[in-house]
Amino acid sequence: MRSSQYLLSTLKETPSDAEIISHQLMLRAGMIRKVASGLYTWTPSGLRVLRKVEKVVREEMEAVNALEILMPMVQPADLWQESGRWEDYGPELLRLKDRHQRDFLLGPTHEEIISELVRKEISSYKQLPLTLFQIQTKFRDEIRPRFGVMRAREFVMKDAYSFHLTQESLQQAYDQMYQAYCRIFERLGLDYRPVIADTGSIGGHSSHEFHVLASSGEDAIAFSDQSDYAANVEMAEALAPTTERAAPTMELQRHDVKGDDLAALLQPLSVDAQQAVKCVVAQASDNVEAEYVLLVVRADHELNTIKAEKHPAVASPINLLDNHKLTGVHSVFTGPTQFDGLVIADHSAANLADFACGAGENGVWLTGVNWSRDATLTEVADLRNVVEGDPSPCGQGQIKIARGIEVGHIFQLGKKYSDAMKVGVLSETGKHETLTMGCYGIGVSRIVAAAIEQHHDDRGIQWPDNLAPFQAVLIPMNMHKSARVQETTEKLYAALQDAGIDVLFDDRKERPGVMFTDMELVGIPHQIVIGERNLDEGMVEYQSRKGGDKVKLSIDDVVSHLQQQLA
Amino acid sequence: MRSSQYLLSTLKETPSDAEIISHQLMLRAGMIRKVASGLYTWTPSGLRVLRKVEKVVREEMEAVNALEILMPMVQPADLWQESGRWEDYGPELLRLKDRHQRDFLLGPTHEEIISELVRKEISSYKQLPLTLFQIQTKFRDEIRPRFGVMRAREFVMKDAYSFHLTQESLQQAYDQMYQAYCRIFERLGLDYRPVIADTGSIGGHSSHEFHVLASSGEDAIAFSDQSDYAANVEMAEALAPTTERAAPTMELQRHDVKGDDLAALLQPLSVDAQQAVKCVVAQASDNVEAEYVLLVVRADHELNTIKAEKHPAVASPINLLDNHKLTGVHSVFTGPTQFDGLVIADHSAANLADFACGAGENGVWLTGVNWSRDATLTEVADLRNVVEGDPSPCGQGQIKIARGIEVGHIFQLGKKYSDAMKVGVLSETGKHETLTMGCYGIGVSRIVAAAIEQHHDDRGIQWPDNLAPFQAVLIPMNMHKSARVQETTEKLYAALQDAGIDVLFDDRKERPGVMFTDMELVGIPHQIVIGERNLDEGMVEYQSRKGGDKVKLSIDDVVSHLQQQLA
């Protein structure tokens, strides 16, 4: 491609409404343009990258025998009524009516449509297992679309669905898909982690998210510094201390304190946050006789409501209550010593001796508190988020925490949809069997943004080779004044094209500085600079966008040098 | 691909709701499945064909330097309010509201979005001309979706838009696009015609439709039997007779007639339809003093309202009136002899002498009528559709009429959108110039159906090589009983894949009859049959889906034979 016949559309200024670096750089590098909130046009450079992601995703799906199909974006409401999601899905589901006033929706995902297809097409166990996928435009009416294509309303997704007679077959497909996802992100040159994700009521390790690690990521990921273990911080198990609780050594003591900021209030008491606890009141479940449950974690820890909700004594969905409304005691003074209900403490909080806590009276804290002696401890459980330095739940190494951008999610759906929509086949013994399902998503357009979050510097994007809009760029210096520069560049352009290298020839009548700035912003990984001075020696100059020294190459070596770089 | 790992989904029965052959065969061959009225899922075989169309279209667009982009399917209303189409477009435009009650629509086309992009991105004449295209899902809320993907609501379209400073530049891009379209349809193996289309108010030959010829086509196309001339029947000029009108030889005579069927009424008068005229009353335009215009065509011809509307004496939009309501005279008795208004006759009607017509009184017809003597003829014009046997307006040969399916449309839009949306640049002289635009559509998904209308027999689809879901199929006879058949087929499968041939290996445990029936239905162009008997001689059998003799091939010649067939 020649720049003169291309739409480069680079911007010098950073658009003011772009908050994160990938959004800024996608606008500045001319990859996307906003049409309306959360709606973007992919300009030529952006679409080239998007298509490269699609290509890798498609190849790896086909490698695990997934068959590509294309389902409609506009879906009829009746199938969603059958699955129950027409009612359950919030306002992110864009509902609409056609000219005959029939209900439709813009598909955020396609479980219903695929279930309808499979229940009609597949009648025998012989046709199973079956995995189908599509790469398609989806719509979610986000309340606050932001960060460009990272959280757009219209976006491109790969969604795959698998159908099985048995859990073993589903597990096998799931494991294959897990491996396929790893290959995809590796081929795309991304630093990623498969992360154990929350599976709601299903439980087990039947859901993984794939995160691209980047400081701007919306999710916190806990991973082991010595193994492959990684989980969403909310999901990672906080192990119980291996040491026993120490015996009491201090007397219980009351302190009048000022204010309601926990940290400020501990200071005059000379108590470390690690030696204090904080408490929240939750509605108890019907399983227990008490009305309320006090959830207790160490003052330096965070309560994990997902974990708390899974505790049988806690009402689900979890309902955290304002103790001031219940008893008149402000939350910072709420404590376990005089609590009317069950007291469930996190392992670390339960392991404390001689600790500090709210007295259950406004303006009063206690020190030298000890479980049993001063406060009843009903139960001990994992109630908190892990923190850096915790032992990894896999048994190897310590927890580190990083930020991640979720770009993939694989999930064992089980029979959620196939029960509701009656998706079954005749088994080998002639019995009707409900199928078990898996679903597997990749945010194709989000990957483009996530890759930039991970691969950029202050001059622009640094594309991994397999994602770049062009693999290489030819930058001739003042070509319009030098026939020799022009001839050499044309010759190299033809040779690189013949070698199958996706090359941009920057043939604009621009100053070298403008060309370098643009090409670095757009992020083309490999630059060849053709200038009079080097041509005197029959040489041109190579530079990688990732930095490193400039290398002089003889003209005849350019193709093979780039082939080596791209190999 | 192995059949056992594929979703073949063929049907024995023809679904009752499929009216046309392509719809029937797409369902039976397992290419599409209906989700709701006008909404389809493309199953693996269907999507393979769709992608092959996309690939050819994309390559030919890139060959004329069109740049691919991707615009959103959901579009904001404000841009359509700017162009005026938010009001003008009928209920085919699916309007919807997002969660914030803002107006959006599902894009049936993208003139507004591309105009918005170009007015923001392009500021200098140096960046012109520019052609952008996308291959994208569109939505039109058809009142009665039918014929499967031929007239679906959600469909895949290639839409391109070009921007120019001058009409000459637009014409050049238009001509290039015309050639690109011809190459696309040729490469797809379709019998097609570029057809001069109606351009509304723009005039000239600035719009062509591309039609795939097929008897089920919704459009009638007039073409010359001796030249490339082709036009929509509505658009083709009916030339004036080259002979002068004969002199009167008969006296005017009144006849009482029965009924109101023109043909039945002419019979007792012994008058040929070619020797009679029929008349319709239209509202006159403000250009003339009369209130009404009588439009006269020969009784064997059809009035062409598009042509009539272009006549300056006729109100536009054309308003045909019920003469019975105006004057009490039924339409079949309406005639030119006592008409109170202008009388405009088609060339052929004006050329008649001694003709028959309604007397302007109910129940009475006249014979021996002559213009001037018996009826005033205000003006002569081309008012009718051409018929087979008419001289071609190009001057060469005679008109033939065929049915066509519109699969492409190229159009010189001029400044319709760029005026309304202020799309302009600074010219070389620093002046602000409004751009002139072209738009170029191809119905990608419709092509799949149109190709089947043209390429099928009573056993199924006969795909052209470049459209087929697979280029070749290996059909082993009773493979599960013969190790030799299996080994040979596996060997051939590997060899064909190595040669880059897109091959299906029908490895199902099915009787040969089932396999042949399925493969003929699916329409794979080239079959290789591997059976015990031929293997005794080291041979396999080749047959083309298009018919012709079976050919015995030595196993080693299979790859080269298929390569020759596909070349």
Side-chain angles (χ1 to χ4, degrees):
Chain A
M1 181 67 70
R2 288 167 193 267
S3 296
S4 61
Q5 297 178 348
Y6 190 67
L7 188 63
L8 211 50
S9 285
T10 52
L11 301 177
K12 282 199 189 72
E13 305 293 327
T14 299
S16 59
D17 60 338
E19 294 169 54
I20 61 170
I21 194 77
S22 60
H23 189 191
Q24 293 167 359
L25 286 175
M26 286 183 80
L27 290 169
R28 286 191 55 210
M31 295 179 64
I32 52 170
R33 287 297 178 256
K34 183 174 169 180
V35 174
S37 174
L39 302 177
Y40 291 88
T41 288
W42 291 79
T43 43
S45 296
L47 187 62
R48 282 180 157 256
V49 178
L50 190 69
R51 293 276 189 245
K52 292 196 179 185
V53 179
E54 285 183 17
K55 179 171 182 287
V56 170
V57 170
R58 179 172 287 118
E59 286 170 2
E60 294 299 338
M61 286 298 103
E62 288 172 352
V64 292
N65 293 325
L67 297 171
E68 188 169 1
I69 63 173
L70 183 63
M71 292 180 269
M73 181 168 168
V74 174
Q75 304 181 13
D78 54 358
L79 294 174
W80 283 62
Q81 282 153 355
E82 214 181 319
S83 76
R85 288 209 294 174
W86 180 254
E87 301 300 330
D88 294 349
Y89 217 109
E92 280 187 16
L93 185 68
L94 190 66
R95 295 161 174 93
L96 55 97
K97 285 183 190 291
D98 75 356
R99 65 191 290 165
H100 303 295
Q101 298 305 307
R102 285 178 300 223
D103 286 316
F104 288 84
L105 57 98
L106 289 190
T109 164
H110 279 71
E111 280 82 358
E112 285 81 0
I113 307 289
I114 198 92
S115 295
E116 157 80 353
L117 180 75
V118 167
R119 72 179 168 184
K120 283 193 177 158
E121 291 307 311
I122 304 295
S123 52
S124 161
Y125 70 94
K126 288 182 193 167
Q127 296 169 281
L128 297 175
L130 176 70
T131 304
L132 299 168
F133 79 101
Q134 63 175 352
I135 297 176
Q136 199 220 25
T137 300
K138 299 271 190 285
F139 197 92
R140 277 182 204 160
D141 202 3
E142 298 275 353
I143 192 161
R144 198 166 74 87
R146 58 191 185 279
F147 306 153
V149 299
M150 190 77 91
R151 193 169 285 278
R153 296 201 286 178
E154 190 171 318
F155 56 98
V156 180
M157 187 169 155
K158 185 282 297 176
D159 46 330
Y161 307 88
S162 70
F163 295 85
H164 312 270
L165 259 187
T166 64
Q167 172 60 30
E168 293 65 47
S169 169
L170 169 58
Q171 188 64 48
Q172 200 170 22
Y174 185 88
D175 293 343
Q176 277 188 347
M177 203 56 91
Y178 181 102
Q179 295 303 331
Y181 273 46
C182 291
R183 282 191 299 275
I184 288 167
F185 298 117
E186 273 156 28
R187 284 180 61 184
L188 294 177
L190 300 175
D191 185 12
Y192 74 99
R193 294 257 172 188
V195 165
I196 299 163
D198 183 25
T199 53
S201 56
I202 295 177
H205 284 186
S206 53
S207 176
H208 283 86
E209 292 170 359
F210 288 77
H211 284 257
V212 168
L213 301 184
S215 56
S216 65
E218 291 192 83
D219 296 290
I221 296 161
F223 62 97
S224 163
D225 61 359
Q226 282 178 34
S227 81
D228 281 344
Y229 176 85
N232 251 318
V233 160
E234 290 75 24
M235 277 297 295
E237 189 187 357
L239 297 180
T242 50
T243 53
E244 295 226 341
R245 184 166 68 218
T249 64
M250 287 167 66
E251 290 305 307
L252 186 71
Q253 215 177 328
R254 287 170 58 93
H255 304 268
D256 293 327
V257 292
K258 281 181 189 156
D260 58 3
D261 177 68
L262 181 57
L265 170 158
L266 288 175
Q267 215 169 6
L269 304 181
S270 300
V271 173
D272 238 22
Q274 295 173 13
Q275 197 57 32
V277 303
K278 55 188 178 186
C279 304
V280 177
V281 180
Q283 185 75 47
S285 74
D286 295 341
N287 301 326
V288 295
E289 286 188 16
E291 195 167 354
Y292 303 114
V293 176
L294 192 73
L295 302 168
V296 184
V297 297
R298 243 170 50 188
D300 61 327
H301 287 154
E302 287 302 321
L303 176 68
N304 179 317
T305 53
I306 298 170
K307 292 178 178 178
E309 186 177 83
K310 287 186 183 158
H311 195 285
V314 175
S316 174
I318 193 164
N319 183 12
L320 298 180
L321 304 165
D322 181 353
N323 198 29
H324 186 238
K325 284 192 186 153
L326 288 180
T327 66
V329 178
H330 283 290
S331 62
V332 77
F333 302 109
T334 301
T337 56
Q338 358 184 350
F339 184 73
D340 182 18
L342 305 182
V343 176
I344 307 181
D346 178 66
H347 291 293
S348 304
N351 200 46
L352 294 176
D354 302 331
F355 61 90
C357 63
E361 294 172 45
N362 287 330
V364 183
W365 259 60
L366 305 173
T367 56
V369 185
N370 281 278
W371 294 114
S372 304
R373 187 190 76 182
D374 309 315
T376 306
L377 180 54
T378 321
E379 212 169 322
V380 180
D382 176 12
L383 293 183
R384 68 171 173 97
N385 287 337
V386 291
V387 294
E388 289 221 347
D390 276 343
S392 173
C394 68
Q396 286 175 270
Q398 289 190 334
I399 288 291
K400 296 261 178 199
I401 291 180
R403 307 299 300 178
I405 300 164
E406 186 193 335
V407 290
H409 194 170
I410 61 178
F411 201 94
Q412 297 189 22
L413 283 170
K415 300 187 177 177
K416 176 173 157 63
Y417 292 91
S418 44
D419 270 338
M421 298 186 64
K422 302 191 176 49
V423 187
V425 297
L426 289 184
S427 74
E428 202 161 358
T429 59
K431 229 179 66 185
H432 186 271
E433 298 270 8
T434 301
L435 300 187
T436 189
M437 274 176 76
C439 72
Y440 316 93
I442 284 185
V444 173
S445 43
R446 179 182 278 189
I447 281 177
V448 178
I452 295 172
E453 290 292 333
Q454 202 172 69
H455 297 280
H456 67 270
D457 64 11
D458 54 5
R459 288 171 297 161
I461 306 168
Q462 296 175 306
W463 287 115
D465 288 341
N466 286 340
L467 274 174
F470 299 95
Q471 295 173 306
V473 59
L474 294 170
I475 306 183
M477 302 285 93
N478 300 311
M479 181 175 86
H480 301 277
K481 293 181 196 154
S482 162
R484 191 166 63 151
V485 168
Q486 175 155 12
E487 275 160 31
T488 307
T489 314
E490 291 282 359
K491 200 178 106 186
L492 283 172
Y493 182 52
L496 290 170
Q497 285 188 308
D498 286 347
I501 293 172
D502 194 6
V503 59
L504 181 69
F505 173 3
D506 197 353
D507 64 344
R508 295 175 297 166
K509 250 187 182 161
E510 292 283 5
R511 283 179 297 111
V514 171
M515 292 159 79
F516 284 121
T517 303
D518 274 346
M519 294 308 134
E520 287 178 343
L521 175 59
V522 171
I524 301 177
H526 306 284
Q527 283 182 0
I528 301 288
V529 181
I530 303 97
E532 274 287 343
R533 205 178 319 152
N534 283 318
L535 283 185
D536 286 341
E537 306 162 32
M539 305 292 264
V540 297
E541 204 175 73
Y542 165 82
Q543 185 157 35
S544 164
R545 176 64 184 85
K546 294 197 174 135
D549 290 337
K550 293 176 183 172
V551 181
K552 279 192 189 178
L553 295 176
S554 110
I555 293 167
D556 295 336
D557 292 342
V558 170
V559 171
S560 62
H561 183 80
L562 285 179
Q563 281 171 331
Q564 272 170 35
Q565 297 294 323
L566 292 167
Chain B
M1 181 66 71
R2 288 168 193 267
S3 296
S4 61
Q5 297 179 350
Y6 191 65
L7 188 64
L8 211 49
S9 284
T10 51
L11 301 176
K12 281 199 190 70
E13 306 293 325
T14 299
S16 59
D17 60 336
E19 295 168 56
I20 60 169
I21 194 76
S22 60
H23 189 191
Q24 293 167 2
L25 287 175
M26 287 184 79
L27 290 168
R28 288 191 55 211
M31 295 178 63
I32 53 170
R33 288 296 179 254
K34 184 174 167 178
V35 174
S37 174
L39 301 176
Y40 292 87
T41 288
W42 291 79
T43 43
S45 296
L47 188 61
R48 283 180 157 256
V49 178
L50 190 68
R51 294 277 190 245
K52 292 198 179 185
V53 178
E54 284 182 15
K55 180 170 180 289
V56 169
V57 170
R58 179 173 287 118
E59 285 171 3
E60 294 299 338
M61 286 299 102
E62 288 173 352
V64 293
N65 293 324
L67 297 171
E68 189 170 1
I69 64 173
L70 183 64
M71 293 179 269
M73 183 168 165
V74 174
Q75 304 181 13
D78 54 358
L79 293 175
W80 283 62
Q81 282 154 353
E82 212 180 321
S83 75
R85 289 210 294 175
W86 180 255
E87 301 301 329
D88 294 348
Y89 217 107
E92 280 187 16
L93 185 69
L94 192 65
R95 296 161 174 92
L96 54 96
K97 284 182 190 292
D98 74 357
R99 66 192 290 165
H100 303 296
Q101 299 304 308
R102 284 176 300 222
D103 286 315
F104 288 85
L105 57 100
L106 290 189
T109 165
H110 280 71
E111 281 83 357
E112 285 81 0
I113 308 290
I114 197 90
S115 295
E116 158 80 354
L117 180 75
V118 167
R119 72 180 169 184
K120 282 191 178 159
E121 290 307 312
I122 304 295
S123 53
S124 160
Y125 71 96
K126 288 183 195 167
Q127 295 169 282
L128 296 177
L130 176 69
T131 303
L132 300 167
F133 79 101
Q134 62 175 353
I135 296 176
Q136 198 224 25
T137 299
K138 299 272 190 289
F139 197 92
R140 277 181 205 161
D141 201 1
E142 297 276 352
I143 190 160
R144 196 166 76 85
R146 59 191 184 280
F147 307 152
V149 298
M150 190 78 90
R151 191 170 288 280
R153 295 201 284 180
E154 192 171 315
F155 57 96
V156 179
M157 189 169 154
K158 184 283 296 177
D159 46 330
Y161 306 88
S162 70
F163 295 84
H164 311 270
L165 258 188
T166 63
Q167 172 61 27
E168 292 65 45
S169 170
L170 170 57
Q171 187 64 46
Q172 199 169 25
Y174 185 88
D175 294 342
Q176 277 188 346
M177 203 55 92
Y178 181 103
Q179 295 303 330
Y181 273 46
C182 292
R183 282 192 299 273
I184 287 167
F185 298 117
E186 272 156 29
R187 284 179 62 185
L188 295 176
L190 300 175
D191 185 12
Y192 74 98
R193 294 254 172 188
V195 165
I196 300 163
D198 183 26
T199 52
S201 57
I202 294 177
H205 285 186
S206 53
S207 176
H208 284 85
E209 293 170 1
F210 288 76
H211 285 259
V212 168
L213 300 184
S215 55
S216 64
E218 292 192 84
D219 295 290
I221 296 161
F223 62 96
S224 163
D225 60 1
Q226 284 178 32
S227 82
D228 281 344
Y229 176 84
N232 252 317
V233 159
E234 291 74 24
M235 276 298 295
E237 187 186 358
L239 296 181
T242 50
T243 55
E244 294 227 340
R245 183 165 69 215
T249 65
M250 288 166 66
E251 290 305 304
L252 186 72
Q253 214 178 331
R254 286 169 61 93
H255 305 267
D256 292 329
V257 292
K258 279 180 192 158
D260 58 2
D261 178 69
L262 181 57
L265 174 154
L266 287 175
Q267 214 170 6
L269 303 181
S270 299
V271 172
D272 239 25
Q274 296 174 13
Q275 196 58 27
V277 302
K278 53 188 180 186
C279 304
V280 177
V281 180
Q283 185 76 48
S285 74
D286 296 341
N287 302 326
V288 293
E289 287 190 12
E291 193 167 351
Y292 304 114
V293 175
L294 192 72
L295 302 168
V296 185
V297 297
R298 244 167 51 184
D300 60 326
H301 286 156
E302 289 300 323
L303 176 69
N304 180 316
T305 52
I306 298 170
K307 291 179 178 178
E309 187 177 83
K310 288 186 184 160
H311 194 286
V314 175
S316 174
I318 194 166
N319 183 12
L320 298 181
L321 305 165
D322 182 352
N323 198 28
H324 185 239
K325 283 191 189 154
L326 287 181
T327 65
V329 178
H330 282 289
S331 63
V332 75
F333 302 109
T334 302
T337 56
Q338 0 181 345
F339 184 74
D340 183 19
L342 304 182
V343 176
I344 306 181
D346 178 66
H347 290 293
S348 303
N351 199 239
L352 292 177
D354 302 330
F355 63 90
C357 64
E361 294 172 45
N362 286 330
V364 183
W365 258 61
L366 305 173
T367 57
V369 185
N370 281 279
W371 294 114
S372 302
R373 189 190 74 182
D374 309 315
T376 305
L377 180 54
T378 322
E379 212 168 322
V380 180
D382 175 13
L383 293 183
R384 67 172 175 98
N385 287 338
V386 290
V387 292
E388 288 222 345
D390 276 343
S392 172
C394 67
Q396 286 174 273
Q398 290 190 332
I399 289 292
K400 296 260 178 201
I401 292 182
R403 307 300 298 178
I405 300 164
E406 187 192 334
V407 290
H409 194 169
I410 61 177
F411 201 96
Q412 296 190 22
L413 283 170
K415 300 186 176 176
K416 177 174 157 63
Y417 292 91
S418 44
D419 269 338
M421 298 186 63
K422 302 194 176 50
V423 186
V425 298
L426 287 185
S427 73
E428 203 162 356
T429 58
K431 227 178 69 186
H432 186 273
E433 298 270 6
T434 302
L435 300 187
T436 189
M437 273 176 77
C439 72
Y440 316 92
I442 284 185
V444 173
S445 42
R446 178 180 279 189
I447 282 178
V448 178
I452 295 173
E453 291 292 333
Q454 201 172 71
H455 296 280
H456 67 271
D457 62 12
D458 53 5
R459 290 171 295 163
I461 305 168
Q462 295 175 307
W463 288 116
D465 289 340
N466 285 341
L467 274 174
F470 299 95
Q471 295 173 306
V473 58
L474 295 169
I475 307 184
M477 301 286 92
N478 301 308
M479 181 174 86
H480 301 279
K481 295 180 195 159
S482 163
R484 191 165 63 152
V485 168
Q486 177 155 13
E487 277 161 31
T488 307
T489 314
E490 292 282 0
K491 202 179 104 185
L492 282 172
Y493 182 52
L496 289 171
Q497 285 188 308
D498 286 349
I501 293 172
D502 194 5
V503 60
L504 181 69
F505 174 2
D506 196 355
D507 63 345
R508 295 174 298 165
K509 251 187 183 163
E510 291 283 5
R511 285 179 297 111
V514 171
M515 292 159 78
F516 283 120
T517 303
D518 274 348
M519 293 308 133
E520 286 178 342
L521 175 58
V522 171
I524 300 177
H526 305 284
Q527 284 184 358
I528 301 289
V529 181
I530 303 97
E532 274 287 345
R533 205 178 318 154
N534 283 319
L535 284 184
D536 286 342
E537 307 162 33
M539 307 292 264
V540 296
E541 204 175 74
Y542 165 82
Q543 186 159 34
S544 164
R545 177 64 184 86
K546 293 199 173 134
D549 291 337
K550 293 174 183 174
V551 180
K552 281 192 188 177
L553 295 176
S554 114
I555 294 166
D556 294 337
D557 291 343
V558 169
V559 171
S560 63
H561 183 78
L562 285 179
Q563 281 171 329
Q564 273 169 33
Q565 296 294 321
L566 292 167

